[in-house]
Every structure is written in C-alpha cells, then in structure tokens.
Amino acid sequence: MKKILSFIAIALFLFSFSACGQNSSKTIEITADNYTDYFFVTLSTDLDYWDSATGETQFDTTITIKAESKKSALFDTVVLKGYVQLPIEKRNSLYTENILPVEATININGSGNGECTVMFSHGIGRGSTNYGGYADTDFYFECSSASGKITLK
C-alpha cells in the first residue's frame, strides 16, 4: 500500500510541473485595422525654404515617420504601408496639384521599431491658394495596408 501511495504522490508531483514549460505566447497577424493596437506612429517635419530665381518662395518638407511597438513581442516581417495626409479642413492646392498625399512604407525591425522619410516640394502658392510651411501636428499617417506577424511575450 505504501508503494502505491508513494507512486501516486510522485505522479501527482510530476504532473503538477508538466504545464510549467508551456509557452503562453499568442501570434497576431498585423492588419491595417489593428496596427494601432500594437504600434505608436509619430510624424516629425523638417522644413527648408528659399527664394527661387523668379522670386517665389520654394519649400522642401521632409517628414520622418516612426513606428514603435506598444507591446513586448517578437516581430516577423511587419510592414506598414500608407500615405502622409493632411486633415480635410487643411487640404489645399497640394492635393489638386498631386503633391499630397505622399506614399510611405515603414519596415518594422526585430526590436519593434521602424522609420521612413518622405519629402515633397512646392512653391508658396498664389492668391487664395497660398500655402507655406506646416507643423508636425498638421500631418498624419493613413495606413492602407499592413502585413506581418507579432508574437506577444
């Protein structure tokens, strides 16, 4: 009887540790609909301007788009594709002249960060379509597609 009880006690002891080695990670497919649950996306601008030979002010706007993981995870070929946009109420001739939106692709590295830079050039505009420099907060990233997987730790 002692042997049977000892065997049952040992078996229960061993089975109690059998689940400890299981990995409780969860793999998630990143999409355009869910990427904001897993990544912060920020934009910053750098504006360079000068007067052209014709006396018009010209602008080069460089926008750096950064993505940073919100969660601790393993990243497998995550790519965010989309456009740099202005809110509808701030849209102007830059859209009718096909200067904006600007296409952007952010490749997320193994540490969950990614960055890309886009640029557009324009003049100051004329009459009621006068447009000049913009602030960082004027632009936003509109994701049109996302791919890849993350495995939450």
Side-chain angles (χ1 to χ4, degrees), residues 2-109:
K2 281 185 174 181
K3 286 184 180 182
I4 292 174
L5 288 175
S6 294
F7 178 73
I8 291 172
I10 291 171
L12 287 173
F13 179 75
L14 291 175
F15 284 122
S16 68
F17 289 108
S18 66
C20 292
Q22 289 182 344
N23 188 350
S24 62
S25 62
K26 180 180 177 184
T27 299
I28 297 163
E29 186 79 29
I30 299 299
T31 67
D33 293 328
N34 73 2
Y35 82 96
T36 57
D37 295 339
Y38 304 101
F39 296 97
F40 295 107
V41 176
T42 57
L43 286 81
S44 60
T45 59
D46 184 29
L47 182 67
D48 189 21
Y49 62 93
W50 68 96
D51 288 330
S52 70
T54 61
E56 291 182 345
T57 302
Q58 298 290 311
F59 293 91
D60 284 340
T61 302
T62 303
I63 302 170
T64 302
I65 308 156
K66 292 184 179 182
E68 181 182 345
S69 175
K70 292 180 178 180
K71 310 216 182 234
S72 179
L74 300 172
F75 303 89
D76 184 15
T77 320
V78 177
V79 178
L80 306 177
K81 292 184 178 186
Y83 300 92
V84 172
Q85 299 271 25
L86 284 171
I88 290 174
E89 67 274 6
K90 293 191 178 209
R91 293 184 184 179
N92 51 33
S93 297
L94 293 174
Y95 283 83
T96 58
E97 296 171 16
N98 295 319
I99 296 171
L100 285 177
V102 178
E103 207 169 318
T105 300
I106 308 167
N107 294 303
I108 308 296
N109 64 25

Side-chain angles (χ1 to χ4, degrees), residues 108-126:
I108 308 296
N109 64 25
S111 63
N113 299 306
E115 181 178 314
C116 78
T117 302
V118 298
M119 188 186 118
F120 64 91
S121 298
H122 61 87
I124 197 165
R126 292 184 174 81

